[in-house]
Amino acid sequence: MAELGAEKELGGSNFDKDKDELARLGKKQVLKRNFGFVSMLGFSCTVMVTWEGLLVLFAAGFQNGGPAGLVYGFIVAFFGTLATFTTMGELASMAPTAGGQYHWVSMLAPPSAQKSLSYATGWLTVTGWQAIVASGGYLCGTLIQGLIVLNNPTYTFERWHGTLLFWAVLLVAFVINTVLNSLLPQFEVLVLLIHTLGFFAVLIPLVHLAPHGTTSDVFELFINGGEWPTMGLSFFVGLLGNVFAFLGSDGVVHMSEEIQNPSLNVPRSILTSIIINGTLGFSMLIAVLFCLGDPEAAFATPTRYPFMEIFASGIGVKGGTAMASLVIVLGISASIGSLTSSSRMTWAFARDRGLPFWKQLSIVEPRMKVPLVSIVVITIISCLLSLINIGSSTAFNAIISLTIAGLYGSYLVCCSLLLWRRCTGAISLPGEGSPIHYGTLTWGPWRLRGSFGIAVNAFACVYMVIIIFFSFWPPFARPNKETMNYSVVVTGGVLIFSVVYYLIRARKVYTGPVVEVISDVTN
């Protein structure tokens, strides 16, 4: 039961060790460390919801790439994500703090760029996670509408219906993150079981009952639905659907101050969840492609989600409804975890004075030991953003397009700086350095050694550059105003706003991670 994360299971020595490790980073322990490895593994797996996400975003990769593009794109995304978060895991082991990326950039960057790079990275991460919360709620709301259509063909999609359902999903996430906060670790273990067993509950009847296609249809058929000049270009544009299925892998990082033994358990839970989700996701992808049936019927479905039509045509409406309902339940669970991670990231950056109203956003509710103000603000912002969907789904999608560009931008900055530092030999071995806030970098207990670590780090950086570059591309070679990708505009807008706020206010108060406590604990 210790793995369920109850803080009462913590021995005094373990708690003191984690508290001292946080003090080494200049931070006070103010949140409860009520997560263990298994509960945090559940948290990580269910925030990513890879096999479920592949079903929901199936159309994106199929349109640009086709079945073969989806298969080989998934393999690229899996190994790219694994390399990226192996490197991020090394950073989390060095400095397990809720701030994550911007904190690591501050300690890795040269003094001349330390403050500005850290500040920009913090904004990219905060807004990227805000976009994940908004996109998760939107997808869950429209999935519920799709399920209604599947069972009642006379139902008409109304955007305001989706917004109300969006609010209902956020209300559930808000209640669990506040009123039921003490049960969150146990809840994540339960959802991990549903996530794993639900995979088999969907896969087995689908494979057993639905008609099957041929091997060549799955592994050899490429489709250039975006009418790009080359099939290779179409493949990279469609790769983003697979990338999105792994999004949120850094959610555990922002929970570092609430998990036992974070310098080991954070990287272990991240990589274990990527391997588990990657295995389940790839298996589900192959199964759905073999059971696709008539692609034109699947993509013409009034539910707006092809996987629902695939389920219904292969198993029947009742069976398809049950399987799609399971996907929706797990999507709502992902929204709960996304709100948790987003609130911790917002709280951490506010604690270091990087956001407007940082004094209020950095408050931790003394009884529940959660950043209640940050949770409330993120929920309200998401609800307000959802109102845009009533007027224009294109405008709303433009805002949530920040998810990949914002988060992968923050990953690239810190991983590039780590590559520079490790190649120049600037990181000491454990036991050789001083606390990080004194300026000396020291490896944590979890790392890749020597040239292999450098190779993985370099591959991760190349992969992220490719993903960020193609995250700004539209799905069609000749887009209109509805199909245009406005991610570059939104990402640029966030950076411009952060610069303006920095010049007006933040440069006077933001100095990087604030040292709240001086520790004499060495590595």
Side-chain angles (χ1 to χ4, degrees):
M1 293 296 291
E3 289 293 359
L4 294 182
E7 188 169 12
K8 63 184 179 181
E9 301 289 340
L10 273 173
S13 60
N14 290 334
F15 178 78
D16 290 341
K17 177 179 176 293
D18 294 338
K19 182 179 178 181
D20 289 342
E21 185 171 43
L22 190 58
R24 178 176 60 84
L25 304 174
K27 298 299 181 184
K28 294 179 181 178
Q29 181 70 56
V30 294
L31 303 176
K32 288 183 179 181
R33 292 193 181 272
N34 54 357
F35 280 86
F37 171 74
V38 172
S39 53
M40 193 53 72
L41 175 63
F43 183 91
S44 184
C45 283
T46 53
V47 167
M48 277 191 283
V49 286
T50 301
W51 70 262
E52 302 90 333
L54 282 170
L55 292 174
V56 173
L57 301 169
F58 181 77
F62 194 92
Q63 178 178 268
N64 280 295
L70 275 168
V71 171
Y72 303 122
F74 185 93
I75 295 171
V76 171
F78 172 74
F79 283 106
T81 302
L82 192 62
T84 299
F85 284 93
T86 297
T87 304
M88 296 272 283
E90 293 180 293
L91 288 165
S93 186
M94 290 171 66
T97 171
Q101 292 94 302
Y102 81 87
H103 191 113
W104 302 335
V105 168
S106 181
M107 74 187 197
L108 293 169
S112 60
Q114 186 178 48
K115 185 176 175 181
S116 58
L117 279 179
S118 170
Y119 177 77
T121 303
W123 270 91
L124 286 174
T125 312
V126 166
T127 52
W129 270 101
Q130 175 67 72
I132 283 184
V133 174
S135 62
Y138 170 76
L139 288 173
C140 289
T142 52
L143 280 168
I144 294 171
Q145 286 184 286
L147 197 62
I148 295 172
V149 171
L150 185 64
N151 289 272
N152 180 15
T154 62
Y155 172 78
T156 302
F157 257 91
E158 296 287 354
R159 286 198 289 265
W160 66 270
H161 292 178
T163 296
L164 289 177
L165 291 167
F166 182 123
W167 289 357
V169 171
L170 284 180
L171 178 61
V172 172
F174 179 81
V175 169
I176 292 180
N177 272 279
T178 53
V179 179
L180 302 177
N181 163 70
S182 61
L183 300 177
L184 190 58
Q186 291 88 340
F187 173 79
E188 295 298 344
V189 174
L190 174 63
V191 176
L192 175 60
L193 291 174
I194 298 173
H195 170 71
T196 306
L197 297 177
F199 163 80
F200 293 103
V202 171
L203 184 77
I204 293 173
L206 180 65
V207 171
H208 182 66
L209 298 175
H212 296 173
T214 65
T215 302
S216 60
D217 288 340
V218 174
F219 296 104
E220 299 176 14
L221 178 60
F222 290 89
I223 296 174
N224 183 0
E227 300 181 345
W228 295 99
T230 66
M231 189 61 240
L233 194 55
S234 179
F235 171 82
F236 279 104
V237 171
L239 183 61
L240 275 297
N242 281 316
V243 172
F244 196 91
F246 286 102
L247 209 60
S249 302
D250 64 312
V252 175
V253 167
H254 308 301
M255 301 295 291
S256 292
E257 296 177 36
E258 298 171 66
I259 184 174
Q260 306 162 27
N261 194 15
S263 58
L264 283 175
N265 281 336
V266 168
R268 285 173 177 171
S269 59
I270 291 174
L271 294 180
T272 304
S273 65
I274 290 173
I275 292 170
I276 291 174
N277 274 15
T279 303
L280 299 182
F282 189 68
S283 302
M284 183 61 72
L285 176 62
I286 297 297
V288 170
L289 289 174
F290 269 106
C291 301
L292 179 60
D294 181 5
E296 292 186 4
F299 287 93
T301 175
T303 67
R304 301 187 183 181
Y305 288 99
F307 82 92
M308 291 188 180
E309 181 64 29
I310 295 170
F311 287 177
S313 61
I315 301 170
V317 173
K318 290 184 178 179
T321 298
M323 291 159 62
S325 297
L326 184 59
V327 173
I328 294 172
V329 168
L330 288 163
I332 295 172
S333 300
S335 295
I336 294 167
S338 297
L339 179 58
T340 308
S341 285
S342 181
S343 66
R344 274 35 169 199
M345 177 59 213
T346 300
W347 164 75
F349 198 39
R351 175 178 61 177
D352 290 324
R353 305 172 186 174
L355 293 172
F357 308 106
W358 59 267
K359 289 183 180 179
Q360 291 75 26
L361 289 169
S362 60
I363 294 174
V364 173
E365 204 282 326
R367 184 178 61 85
M368 293 187 289
K369 296 292 184 182
V370 297
L372 182 59
V373 177
S374 290
I375 295 173
V376 170
V377 168
I378 291 166
T379 304
I380 291 174
I381 290 175
S382 297
C383 288
L384 293 175
L385 288 175
S386 70
L387 294 174
I388 299 174
N389 180 57
I390 297 176
S392 170
S393 58
T394 301
F396 180 76
N397 287 329
I399 293 173
I400 63 175
S401 68
L402 185 65
T403 48
I404 291 179
L407 289 180
Y408 268 79
S410 72
Y411 303 160
L412 179 61
V413 176
C414 56
C415 290
S416 299
L417 289 170
L418 179 62
L419 181 61
W420 167 57
R421 288 290 192 178
R422 77 195 308 163
C423 287
T424 56
I427 307 177
S428 304
L429 295 174
E432 298 178 358
S434 301
I436 286 176
H437 63 258
Y438 291 143
T440 301
L441 298 172
T442 306
W443 286 112
W446 195 95
R447 68 186 179 96
L448 296 183
R449 291 168 172 78
S451 57
F452 182 63
I454 293 174
V456 171
N457 197 161
F459 172 71
C461 290
V462 171
Y463 170 75
M464 285 184 279
V465 169
I466 294 171
I467 296 307
I468 293 169
F469 177 70
F470 281 102
S471 72
F472 299 129
W473 287 54
F476 298 98
R478 290 176 290 276
N480 54 37
K481 64 180 182 179
E482 283 78 26
T483 59
M484 183 60 188
N485 184 344
Y486 296 96
S487 179
V488 65
V489 177
V490 177
T491 305
V494 167
L495 291 174
I496 291 171
F497 178 83
S498 67
V499 169
V500 171
Y501 177 69
Y502 180 82
L503 294 174
I504 294 174
R505 172 65 177 165
R507 64 186 177 89
K508 302 173 184 177
V509 295
Y510 182 78
T511 57
V514 174
V515 177
E516 300 174 332
V517 57
I518 300 295
S519 170
D520 59 359
V521 179
T522 61
N523 292 304

